[in-house]
Amino acid sequence: MNILRSEWTKLRSVRGTWLTALCTVLAGAALSVLGASDLLGTPPSGLPADWDPTATSLKGFLFAQLLVGMLGALAVTTEYATGMIGTSLAVVPSRTRLLLAKTAVVAAVALGTALVTTLVSFTAVQLMLKGAGLPVASPGDPGVPRALAGGTLYLVLVAVIGVAVGVLTRSTTGSLAVLVGAALLVPAIAPGLPGAAGDWFGRYWPVTAGQAAYTVVHTDGALAPGAGLAVLALTAAAVGVAGNAALRVRDV
């Protein structure tokens, strides 16, 4: 418990933590509204058959995930940048316990940030769609509560991955490069590969698979929401194990 309290004190005392959390909420909501705005003026009959107002309202996650991932990475990289990691390890010699405490505290902050981002984005976009006379989703509709919970957990898992990436790179710039590549570049480029490779990336790349968690209407080629979230969770666990191994064998 003392380790958790210590990690919480360190995380909350860094101004960048709250700035990143605030930017996650604002950017997620703003980009969700912007992403759905191209539908304004479209008659309901012109919407695609697989129209999903819930997933549409969370389009801003494409950028919010980078910010929440960096929230996790900064919990580690700032200590390496300032040299405070040496003090942390002197106080807590068990590197595994230290990393678990950091991950737990980041996950708690990310949970609050992700929940607010999800609810604000969903509400803002549904109000905009309703004003345009388009079909909307209600929190009480079948599948919507599950999708909103899935979207929240999606961002939390990305933050947990960010912690491990921070440990592996020990660099804020390096962490950002890894997260941009994994969250944006690979999902955009790799599915265009020919044959089975493109199909695999289109379905099972962790970020792409995880995005199924906040859908209500199933689309062809996508994993089921639970399966997609499971792929992302297993990836977070695997990257976390790799980060722990690196922390244990490296010198500070």
Side-chain angles (χ1 to χ4, degrees):
M1 186 60 68
N2 288 335
I3 302 177
L4 290 173
R5 187 179 300 114
S6 174
E7 290 302 319
W8 165 242
T9 300
K10 285 190 286 186
L11 190 63
R12 68 178 175 83
S13 63
V14 177
R15 183 173 57 183
T17 298
W18 306 115
L19 181 60
T20 304
L22 178 61
C23 287
T24 300
V25 175
L26 295 179
L31 292 176
S32 293
V33 170
L34 183 62
S37 63
D38 60 353
L39 296 169
L40 299 181
T42 302
S45 59
L47 295 174
D50 58 356
W51 163 248
D52 189 342
T54 302
T56 299
S57 67
L58 302 181
K59 283 185 175 181
F61 278 18
L62 291 177
F63 185 74
Q65 64 186 347
L66 293 179
L67 293 172
V68 80
M70 285 306 298
L71 176 67
L74 287 169
V76 178
T77 59
T78 52
E79 288 204 41
Y80 278 104
T82 61
M84 191 175 180
I85 187 66
T87 303
S88 296
L89 292 173
V91 175
V92 185
S94 173
R95 299 189 176 198
T96 298
R97 289 177 63 196
L98 179 64
L99 182 57
L100 286 174
K102 283 185 179 295
T103 303
V105 171
V106 167
V109 174
L111 177 60
T113 303
L115 181 59
V116 174
T117 303
T118 300
L119 294 179
V120 171
S121 299
F122 177 79
T123 302
V125 172
Q126 298 311 312
L127 288 175
M128 183 181 73
L129 295 176
K130 184 177 181 180
L134 295 173
V136 298
S138 168
D141 291 344
V144 173
R146 186 266 309 152
L148 297 179
T152 300
L153 290 176
Y154 173 86
L155 291 180
V156 172
L157 288 172
V158 172
V160 169
I161 291 173
V163 176
V165 170
V167 173
L168 290 169
T169 64
R170 298 192 287 187
S171 162
T172 299
T173 304
S175 297
L176 180 60
V178 170
L179 290 171
V180 168
L184 295 181
L185 296 183
V186 173
I189 297 173
L193 295 174
D199 294 338
W200 186 91
F201 277 103
R203 286 172 59 87
Y204 296 108
W205 182 252
V207 172
T208 304
Q211 289 169 356
Y214 50 85
T215 61
V216 174
V217 179
H218 182 73
T219 57
D220 293 338
L223 293 177
L229 196 61
V231 169
L232 185 61
L234 289 173
T235 301
V239 178
V241 169
N244 181 56
L247 184 63
R248 288 172 61 89
V249 301
R250 284 174 175 169
D251 293 331
V252 176

